[in-house]
């Protein structure tokens, strides 16, 4: 069985190339090919978790990424929420998303409610004394 540690990105590239053949034809359990598939998957997963971990985005960052990827603007969010000022306050973190806003965004832009409902920090506003 040709297996080696995955300790750098070159090894990761090798392991991904090796495991790719199993995606179309997953080997049967109990075979040496299945064992190799399982070992490669474990090595890849462990290396990626340590070196290429995906940092979860808070709801506002997720909205910003989604808007950028889809070519959407603050005006698009305003149309969805029904208010330009509300959209601006959300994106500048001056106002938290409400359940109604979360539901409109989730339905309109097909984003997960659970991710939009996560707690996140707001910018503290200074009030005049």
């Amino acid at each position: 069985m040709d297996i080696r540690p995955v300790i750098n990105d070159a090894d990761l590239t090798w392991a991904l190339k090796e495991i790719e053949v199993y995606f179309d034809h997953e080997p049967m359990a109990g075979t040496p090919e299945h064992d190799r598939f399982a070992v490669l998957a474990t090595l890849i997963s462990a290396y990626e978790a340590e070196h290429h971990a995906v940092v979860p985005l808070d709801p506002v960052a997720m909205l910003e990424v989604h808007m950028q990827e889809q070519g959407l603007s603050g005006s698009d969010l305003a149309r969805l929420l029904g208010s330009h000022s509300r959209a601006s306050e959300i994106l500048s973190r001056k106002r938290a998303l409400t359940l109604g806003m979360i539901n409109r965004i989730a339905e309109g832009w097909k984003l997960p409610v659970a991710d939009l409902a996560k707690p996140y920090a707001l910018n503290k506003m200074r009030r005049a004394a």
Side-chain angles (χ1 to χ4, degrees):
M1 183 183 317
D2 181 25
I3 295 288
R4 63 182 191 225
V6 176
I7 56 175
N8 57 42
D9 283 350
D11 292 333
L12 177 63
T13 300
W14 170 84
L16 289 169
K17 191 175 222 177
E18 292 293 310
I19 201 170
E20 186 176 15
V21 299
Y22 298 123
F23 292 149
D24 290 333
H25 306 289
E26 189 171 335
M28 288 182 24
T31 65
E33 291 83 16
H34 186 269
D35 292 345
R36 185 169 192 268
F37 174 74
V39 170
L40 285 168
T42 301
L43 290 171
I44 291 167
S45 179
Y47 182 82
E48 287 181 338
E50 184 176 344
H51 298 282
H52 298 286
V54 177
V55 177
L57 299 175
D58 72 28
V60 174
M62 184 177 70
L63 282 175
E64 292 169 340
V65 168
H66 178 77
M67 291 168 62
Q68 182 179 7
E69 289 176 348
Q70 300 301 314
L72 300 168
S73 67
S75 294
D76 295 307
L77 180 61
R79 275 191 291 282
L80 198 58
L81 299 179
S83 166
H84 281 280
S85 61
R86 201 55 46 88
S88 176
E89 291 171 336
I90 296 300
L91 293 174
S92 64
R93 297 173 182 270
K94 292 180 181 174
R95 178 182 295 271
L97 288 166
T98 65
L99 185 55
M101 291 179 208
I102 289 168
N103 286 329
R104 284 193 295 277
I105 293 167
E107 185 176 320
W109 288 353
K110 307 300 182 227
L111 295 173
V113 170
D115 290 340
L116 291 168
K118 291 179 182 173
Y120 63 96
L122 297 175
N123 290 333
K124 299 196 191 260
M125 295 185 284
R126 291 191 168 205
R127 293 189 175 180

